[in-house]
Amino acid sequence: MEISANTPAVVTGGASGLGLATARAIAAKGAKVAIFDMKEDEGEKVAKELGGTFCKVNVTSEEEVDAAFAKAREAHGQERILVNCAGIGNAIKTASRDKNDGSIKHYPLSAFDFVIQVNLVGTFRCIAKSAAGMMTLDPINDDGERGAIVNTASVAAEDGQMGQAAYSASKGGVVGMTLPIARDLMKEGIRVNTILPGIFNTPLMNAAPPQVKDALAASVPFPKRLGLPEEYAKLAMVMLENTYFNGEDVRLDGAIRMAPR
């Protein structure tokens, strides 16, 4: 897909981190970007910077997602690009013993469900609604392309660590549904790909102590550092712009394979 002036795009989780870098990369091509995020102050600031639109939205809410797409489409037109970066994580063992009294507890199922609802169901909700909208558009090239979607999974989808059962399950689900969705949409000219990021220097990671960040960086085979959001954005742009890129799940991780803990 050739991203040109005023191409409508939506980036979920676009107010910070991987989503922000991707929104900036898309906007640099002249596209009109709608930022879907929970962070109102940051989102409004980013939208102003990019000449786009901010939509406050919780991807677990059908009503909020519908309202956000309606607002974005009223401002920019039906999107041809969707990048899903909204997501959360936690670290809770499936079952564990209390270090003080030896009592046993299991993973709170409500917490497990919440991660699945945000990372997996929320991603699919945005894909389904965006794809339905893209299907109303005319093709834009000789291949019959109407739109392109990029999702964010994680290397935890393949080598999750201790305490990541919910996170790994949610991201594994994103990987697992990529090819079926690409096949669902193949006759409509809508491509779907997924990035599996390793350890990236995002605002969440910046909250970690320097020694923790240094240890994580040292665990990456090459280059021995955390990934940059701009590097994620570069791969997302390749997936969006290369029409033959479809149905793929690609690790972006400096060749790291996560240890058990």
Side-chain angles (χ1 to χ4, degrees):
M1 175 189 295
E2 181 179 350
I3 302 174
S4 57
N6 300 319
T7 298
V10 170
V11 180
T12 74
S16 62
L18 305 180
L20 172 57
T22 306
R24 284 174 170 160
I26 295 171
K29 294 278 188 174
K32 293 297 183 182
V33 182
I35 305 297
F36 285 19
D37 209 295
M38 293 284 289
K39 304 170 186 173
E40 195 163 5
D41 291 342
E42 294 94 327
E44 292 284 7
K45 182 179 178 181
V46 171
K48 184 177 180 180
E49 171 198 334
L50 302 182
T53 299
F54 171 69
C55 304
K56 185 176 182 180
V57 55
N58 180 339
V59 296
T60 68
S61 167
E62 189 98 7
E63 293 76 16
E64 289 189 25
V65 170
D66 284 340
F69 275 117
K71 179 180 178 180
R73 290 164 183 171
E74 182 179 1
H76 305 151
Q78 167 60 50
E79 73 279 356
R80 288 192 182 272
I81 291 170
L82 171 67
V83 181
N84 284 305
C85 291
I88 60 169
N90 59 21
I92 306 173
K93 287 185 178 181
T94 303
S96 59
R97 297 181 186 274
D98 188 278
K99 293 180 180 179
N100 296 317
D101 61 15
S103 60
I104 298 173
K105 58 183 178 181
H106 65 73
Y107 199 124
L109 297 185
S110 59
F112 188 97
D113 181 66
F114 183 60
V115 174
I116 299 296
Q117 289 298 320
V118 174
N119 294 354
L120 179 56
V121 180
T123 294
F124 184 75
R125 177 177 287 114
C126 291
I127 293 171
K129 292 179 181 295
S130 185
M134 291 177 187
M135 287 169 61
T136 67
L137 298 171
D138 293 329
I140 55 175
N141 55 34
D142 292 341
D143 290 313
E145 188 174 24
R146 286 187 169 88
I149 298 170
V150 175
N151 304 310
T152 307
S154 167
V155 295
E158 297 180 346
D159 35 72
Q161 297 182 293
M162 292 171 58
Q164 288 189 329
Y167 185 70
S168 294
S170 68
K171 296 301 188 178
V174 173
V175 170
M177 71 183 180
T178 300
L179 183 58
I181 294 173
R183 288 172 167 172
D184 283 347
L185 302 175
M186 63 184 183
K187 292 184 179 179
E188 303 296 341
I190 301 169
R191 297 181 295 107
V192 183
N193 293 287
T194 294
I195 300 174
L196 287 70
I199 307 170
F200 272 70
N201 194 16
T202 61
L204 180 64
M205 184 58 65
N206 282 334
Q211 62 271 24
V212 173
K213 291 177 65 176
D214 290 344
L216 290 171
S219 69
V220 180
F222 182 82
K224 286 194 171 297
R225 59 172 174 80
L226 303 183
L228 303 176
E230 292 75 16
E231 291 170 321
Y232 173 97
K234 286 180 180 179
L235 179 54
M237 293 301 288
V238 171
M239 289 179 168
L240 292 172
E241 294 182 309
N242 188 333
T243 304
Y244 210 62
F245 215 135
N246 193 21
E248 294 295 337
D249 304 288
V250 181
R251 290 179 69 121
L252 184 65
D253 59 14
I256 197 169
R257 296 298 181 266
M258 303 301 290
R261 66 174 75 195

